[in-house]
Amino acid sequence: MIQIKDQLDNLHQFETSPKRIVSLVPSQTELLYDLGLEDSMVGITKFCVHPIHLKKTKRIIGGTKIVDFTKIKELNPDVIIANKEENTKAIVDELSQICPVIVTDIKSVEDNLKMIDDFGQLFNKQEEAKQWISKISLAYNDFQFFMVDKPIKKALYFIWAKPYMVAGEDTFIDAMLKLNNFQNACNKPRYPEMNENEIKNSEVDLILLSSEPYPFNQSHEDQIGKFTSNVKIIQVDGESFSWYGSRILKAFDYFKTLHEKL
C-alpha cells in the first residue's frame, strides 16, 4: 500500500505504483519524462512541448484549462497529475470521479523539491528523484552564492497583453524574481491587470516581458517604452521563470546569462 499526501494535503492510497498516468501540466510532464516514466504516460496536454516527441506518441487530452473528459476516461488512467494554479477546482473535482488526482502547489524551490520526492515515492522512482533533487539543490546553492553581490532591482514581470497582466505575490514566478534580487513591484496576489498609468507610476528599474503564455516581442517592448522612462525593458524566457520540475535546473544557468545583460 502506497500512501501519499498531495500539496493540498489530500491523502491518496494506491495498492501499487500507478502504471497509467495522465499529466495536465507541461512542466510536470517534462519531470515525469526525466524520472523515466515516458512509457507510463498515456495522456498529456497540447502545451506539453518538452520533450517535443511526446506530442506524437501520447494522446492529447486538451489544454490545461479545458480538458476532454471523455478522452481521459477512455485512457483508463491510474492517476492524474494536476496543479492548483494550472487546473481549476471544477476540473479536478470532475476528474476525481475517474481516478485519483494528485494536485501540486508550487510556490518555491522547496515546494518543487518536495514534489519531485513525492513523485519518486509514488512511481517507484526513488533513486531517479534523489538524483534530480541532488542536482537541483547543488545548482540552487551555487546560484544563491552567485547572487550574493548583485543589487536589488524593482521589477514588473509581464505575462499578458490586452489587457496588461503581471505576476503578483504568492506565485512561483514571484519566488524566481526574489531569487534573482528582483523586488516585485506588484504587491497584489496572483496575476492582476495593470493599465498604462499604473505601469508608468510604478517607479520600477526593470520590466520583464515573458515569452509565455503571451508571446511578447519587440513591438510590445517599443509600445511599453513609450509610456515608461528610464526603465530597462527585457524580453525573458518564460519557461525559466514559470516552469518548475526538472526544468529549473536549466533555469539557474539562464538566470546567470540574464544578469550579464543587466
Side-chain angles (χ1 to χ4, degrees):
M1 175 70 70
I2 300 172
Q3 291 189 343
I4 185 170
K5 278 189 177 182
D6 66 20
Q7 289 176 304
L8 297 188
D9 210 32
N10 298 313
L11 179 64
H12 301 276
Q13 296 182 340
F14 300 86
E15 291 293 336
T16 60
S17 291
K19 302 300 182 186
R20 297 179 62 80
I21 307 168
V22 168
S23 174
L24 303 184
V25 184
S27 58
Q28 293 173 183
T29 295
E30 182 181 42
L31 172 60
L32 293 169
Y33 173 83
D34 285 334
L35 290 176
L37 291 161
E38 178 176 3
D39 292 341
S40 295
M41 281 189 283
V42 294
I44 62 174
T45 77
K46 62 183 179 181
F47 301 118
C48 294
V49 296
H50 296 301
I52 192 62
H53 74 268
L54 292 182
K55 294 186 74 172
K56 296 181 179 179
T57 61
K58 306 300 177 183
R59 187 85 178 270
I60 305 300
I61 51 76
T64 55
K65 299 295 188 289
I66 301 177
V67 302
D68 190 318
F69 296 99
T70 299
K71 285 183 179 179
I72 293 175
K73 190 172 183 178
E74 289 173 350
L75 289 171
N76 192 29
D78 299 319
V79 68
I80 297 169
I81 305 297
N83 175 264
K84 181 181 177 181
E85 181 173 290
E86 294 287 344
N87 314 118
T88 66
K89 185 178 184 301
I91 286 176
V92 171
D93 288 345
E94 187 165 350
L95 289 175
S96 296
Q97 304 303 310
I98 299 174
C99 71
V101 181
I102 304 293
V103 183
T104 64
D105 186 19
I106 314 296
K107 297 176 182 175
S108 67
V109 175
E110 290 73 23
D111 289 340
N112 189 54
L113 296 177
K114 178 63 166 57
M115 174 184 66
I116 296 173
D117 183 63
D118 287 344
F119 284 7
Q121 297 295 325
L122 178 59
F123 299 113
N124 195 27
K125 293 289 183 178
Q126 292 93 335
E127 185 57 35
E128 291 85 349
K130 182 179 179 181
Q131 291 175 6
W132 274 103
I133 290 171
S134 177
K135 289 188 291 186
I136 292 171
S137 296
L138 286 172
Y140 178 40
N141 292 335
D142 174 72
F143 185 71
Q144 288 178 303
F145 181 77
F146 171 83
M147 288 300 303
V148 166
D149 60 348
K150 300 294 187 296
I152 294 176
K153 295 179 181 293
K154 191 176 180 181
L156 280 174
Y157 185 100
F158 283 66
I159 65 161
W160 203 258
K162 300 178 183 180
Y164 289 121
M165 296 174 66
V166 299
E169 296 179 338
D170 199 34
T171 63
F172 184 72
I173 292 174
D174 182 64
M176 293 300 98
L177 291 174
K178 291 175 180 175
L179 187 60
N180 281 277
N181 282 0
F182 299 149
Q183 177 188 349
N184 195 344
C186 177
N187 56 11
K188 297 179 181 179
R190 309 293 293 156
Y191 304 100
E193 295 181 12
M194 291 188 74
N195 59 42
E196 292 185 5
N197 192 52
E198 289 173 323
I199 296 168
K200 181 179 179 180
N201 294 327
S202 60
E203 299 182 348
V204 297
D205 306 304
L206 189 63
I207 287 178
L208 305 176
L209 304 181
S210 180
S211 62
E212 64 163 49
Y214 189 91
F216 284 98
N217 56 38
Q218 186 62 46
S219 66
H220 300 104
E221 185 175 328
D222 295 340
Q223 182 180 9
I224 293 174
K226 292 179 181 179
F227 55 86
T228 56
S229 59
N230 299 318
V231 177
K232 191 174 184 66
I233 304 174
I234 301 179
Q235 297 174 51
V236 297
D237 176 44
E239 291 178 358
S240 294
F241 279 92
S242 64
W243 281 43
Y244 29 86
S246 46
R247 172 65 43 166
I248 195 173
L249 185 62
K250 297 178 181 178
F252 294 128
D253 287 334
Y254 170 77
F255 292 152
K256 288 182 180 180
T257 63
L258 177 61
H259 282 279
E260 292 175 0
K261 300 177 182 180
L262 302 179

